[in-house]
């Protein structure tokens, strides 16, 4: 049996090697390395996929979040509401722009923003909410949009883990994650659902002016070379990465189906084990399984070690909530302030999840997990 990996990037490359190599070679031959034709084509194709009017590519998913907040003209002191259980990037850009991160707890089964806490933490200084569609499932967007509308707030969706996930409103209308708020962002980090061969990211919006501003800001604030209209930065998607992404985008639905089929298998095989809870699904959102995340009562670390010794990597996303990270600690939030997130950090364990899992590998994984709980 081949070695089991958390994400099998090489296996995925091998299946599309011919196409990818050819597209990359073309970029090299044309030497159009920055904002070349493949970038333009990819922006258009991703917009068609996601059913959104404007796609602004940039250097990575963290920059995408920063650029989205910059495009909204957020000012120092503005309060931005975000979940305390997320990847650090979400809080980092808020702090870097001298905005004030306002942490709220998450729902225990959905891992996304707790709506009651969001409402409770809105003040006259609140400018925006940044829902994170964690692990591949959408936050409760309909309710969040209502809160935003009532309080005149903007929404920037962090869709780094949820590209392709669809949210269904109560009237039956569906929309892709990242295209529902004022702006949405995603990442093409290699292990993300649509990963390139390095760093990459994008911003989505249906607001033309916001889209133009984000594009300007990602390109030194210039539309015309050497004419700088606003203060920007340098954050671009390499043409080589765009060439890779154009090929992989064609397979994204297939990749999503492979992930879901592995998740269905895990669900069926691991249901009902005492002390282990499989991921909950919700009727208003599809799940694209960036991660397949279990909750393990009490024996999480023991299970992780047991699996590691059996050659199965499993990862803890995330071991600490943001308010307990040194860089983001705030005096008013000691241990115990966000009990759900704190508990999740002790219980979550993500199993190997990728598009290349072999039958014998997945059988072996569930056998070992079951063995542990015997
Ligand atoms: C990966 C990730 C990011 C950052 O993306 P990079 O491309 O690595 O900068 C932001 N938010 C979340 C939730 C992520 O998972």
């Amino acid at each position: 049996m081949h070695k089991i990996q958390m994400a099998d990037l090489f296996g995925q490359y091998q299946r599309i090697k011919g196409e990818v190599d050819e597209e990359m070679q073309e970029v090299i031959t044309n030497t159009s390395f920055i904002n070349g034709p493949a970038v333009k084509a990819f922006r258009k194709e991703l917009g068609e996929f996601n059913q959104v009017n404007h796609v602004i590519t940039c250097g990575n998913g963290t920059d995408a979040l920063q650029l989205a907040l910059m495009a909204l003209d957020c000012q120092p002191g503005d309060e931005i509401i975000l979940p305390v259980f997320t990847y650090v990037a979400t809080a980092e850009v808020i702090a870097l722009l001298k905005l004030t991160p306002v942490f709220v707890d998450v729902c225990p089964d959905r891992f996304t923003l707790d709506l009651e806490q969001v409402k409770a933490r809105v003040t006259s200084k609140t400018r925006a909410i940044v829902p994170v569609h964690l692990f591949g499932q959408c936050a409760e967007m309909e309710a969040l949009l209502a809160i935003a509308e009532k309080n005149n707030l903007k929404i920037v969706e962090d869709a780094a883990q949820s590209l392709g996930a669809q949210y269904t409103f109560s009237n039956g209308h569906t929309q892709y994650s990242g295209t529902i708020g004022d702006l949405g962002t995603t990442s093409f980090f290699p292990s993300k659902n649509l990963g390139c061969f390095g760093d990459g990211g994008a911003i989505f919006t249906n607001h033309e002016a916001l889209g133009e501003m984000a594009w300007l800001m990602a390109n030194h604030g210039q539309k015309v070379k050497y004419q700088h209209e606003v203060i920007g930065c340098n954050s671009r998607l390499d043409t080589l990465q765009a060439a890779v992404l154009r090929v992989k985008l064609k397979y994204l639905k297939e990749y999503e189906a492979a992930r879901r089929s592995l998740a269905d298998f895990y669900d069926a095989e691991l249901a009902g084990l005492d002390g282990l809870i499989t991921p909950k699904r919700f009727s208003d959102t599809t799940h694209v399984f960036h991660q397949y995340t279990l909750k393990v009562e009490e024996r999480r670390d023991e299970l992780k070690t047991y699996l590691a010794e059996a050659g199965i990597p499993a990862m803890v996303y995330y071991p600490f909530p943001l308010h307990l990270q040194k860089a983001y600690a705030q005096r008013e939030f000691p241990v115990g302030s966000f009990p759900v997130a704190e508990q999740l950090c002790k219980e979550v364990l993500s199993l190997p999840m990728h598009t290349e899992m072999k039958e014998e590998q997945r059988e072996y994984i569930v056998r070992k997990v079951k063995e542990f709980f015997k």
Side-chain angles (χ1 to χ4, degrees):
M1 187 172 69
H2 279 289
K3 188 167 170 276
I4 297 173
Q5 291 172 291
M6 219 27 217
D8 182 1
L9 301 180
F10 186 68
Q12 197 181 51
Y13 166 61
Q14 277 181 312
R15 282 203 288 137
I16 53 172
K17 183 176 185 312
E19 276 177 279
V20 167
D21 290 0
E22 195 179 312
E23 295 294 330
M24 288 185 85
Q25 187 57 54
E26 190 179 317
V27 176
I28 296 166
T29 306
N30 293 339
T31 68
S32 53
F33 298 118
I34 302 291
N35 284 340
V39 174
K40 197 169 171 199
F42 175 64
R43 291 176 65 190
K44 183 163 170 287
E45 288 155 5
L46 185 56
E48 281 159 10
F49 175 92
N50 238 0
Q51 294 165 23
V52 68
N53 292 340
H54 307 282
V55 176
I56 297 89
T57 46
C58 63
N60 54 68
T62 308
D63 282 1
L65 283 164
Q66 180 177 331
L67 286 161
L69 294 168
M70 285 167 65
L72 286 172
D73 197 27
C74 292
Q75 294 296 326
D78 284 355
E79 295 179 358
I80 313 291
I81 293 175
L82 77 156
V84 75
F85 185 61
T86 177
Y87 183 57
V88 68
T90 325
E92 189 172 50
V93 297
I94 294 170
L96 267 180
L97 293 173
K98 305 257 182 272
L99 314 174
T100 307
V102 175
F103 296 137
V104 310
D105 214 340
V106 294
C107 305
D109 295 315
R110 193 162 174 146
F111 310 131
T112 57
L113 281 173
D114 177 315
L115 298 173
E116 290 314 311
Q117 288 205 14
V118 171
K119 286 184 209 159
R121 301 222 61 200
V122 172
T123 73
S124 58
K125 288 196 199 147
T126 311
R127 189 70 212 290
I129 305 171
V130 183
V132 179
H133 306 306
L134 206 69
F135 303 147
Q137 219 167 18
C138 296
E140 294 168 273
M141 288 309 293
E142 184 160 350
L144 288 169
L145 287 175
I147 297 169
E149 186 170 16
K150 184 164 171 238
N151 298 284
N152 197 22
L153 310 177
K154 302 293 183 193
I155 292 194
V156 175
E157 302 171 69
D158 183 344
Q161 302 188 1
S162 65
L163 194 64
Q166 282 175 302
Y167 180 81
T168 305
F169 288 83
S170 50
N171 66 3
H173 172 69
T174 63
Q175 247 173 296
Y176 280 99
S177 73
T179 72
I180 304 165
D182 296 275
L183 296 142
T185 65
T186 200
S187 163
F188 307 121
F189 186 80
S191 62
K192 296 279 156 85
N193 286 29
L194 180 63
C196 61
F197 293 175
D199 276 312
I203 300 158
F204 307 115
T205 185
N206 283 312
H207 297 274
E208 190 173 355
L210 285 178
E212 267 183 24
M213 186 54 79
W215 181 258
L216 271 187
M217 286 177 154
N219 291 277
H220 295 300
Q222 65 188 358
K223 213 177 304 172
V224 180
K225 223 172 182 180
Y226 305 120
Q227 292 182 27
H228 306 280
E229 297 177 30
V230 293
I231 297 173
C233 60
N234 176 16
S235 183
R236 295 178 292 225
L237 180 71
D238 292 343
T239 312
L240 276 170
Q241 302 301 349
V244 175
L245 288 165
R246 284 190 72 200
V247 174
K248 290 182 78 172
L249 181 60
K250 291 190 281 183
Y251 298 95
L252 185 56
K253 283 284 172 202
E254 208 177 289
Y255 292 156
E256 186 184 316
R259 286 174 178 275
R260 191 167 294 128
S261 136
L262 178 56
D264 289 344
F265 175 80
Y266 282 150
D267 275 357
E269 293 289 326
L270 302 178
L273 289 179
D274 222 10
L276 178 147
I277 301 166
T278 54
K280 189 157 176 211
R281 316 255 190 129
F282 296 85
S283 59
D284 59 348
T285 174
T286 61
H287 199 326
V288 293
F289 289 100
H290 174 59
Q291 298 298 345
Y292 183 89
T293 304
L294 300 168
K295 289 198 285 182
V296 188
E297 287 157 4
E298 283 163 23
R299 301 170 68 199
R300 192 266 314 270
D301 292 340
E302 223 182 301
L303 173 60
K304 184 173 188 286
T305 307
Y306 183 84
L307 293 176
E309 280 165 4
I312 300 167
M315 298 289 284
V316 175
Y317 303 117
Y318 297 92
F320 304 103
L322 292 176
H323 69 292
L324 301 182
Q325 294 283 359
K326 190 174 167 205
Y328 297 94
Q330 297 172 3
R331 204 169 307 126
E332 67 267 39
F333 296 124
V335 175
S337 302
F338 300 103
V340 176
E342 289 173 33
Q343 189 65 20
L344 287 176
C345 290
K346 295 189 187 116
E347 293 187 346
V348 288
L349 188 66
S350 298
L351 292 183
M353 169 51 71
H354 56 75
T355 59
E356 312 302 317
M357 184 80 72
K358 301 285 179 286
E359 185 87 28
E360 56 170 350
Q361 293 178 317
R362 64 183 210 179
E363 298 276 359
Y364 176 74
I365 292 169
V366 297
R367 192 167 79 237
K368 284 291 163 190
V369 174
K370 285 182 194 166
E371 232 173 66
F372 176 83
F373 284 99
K374 267 219 186 94

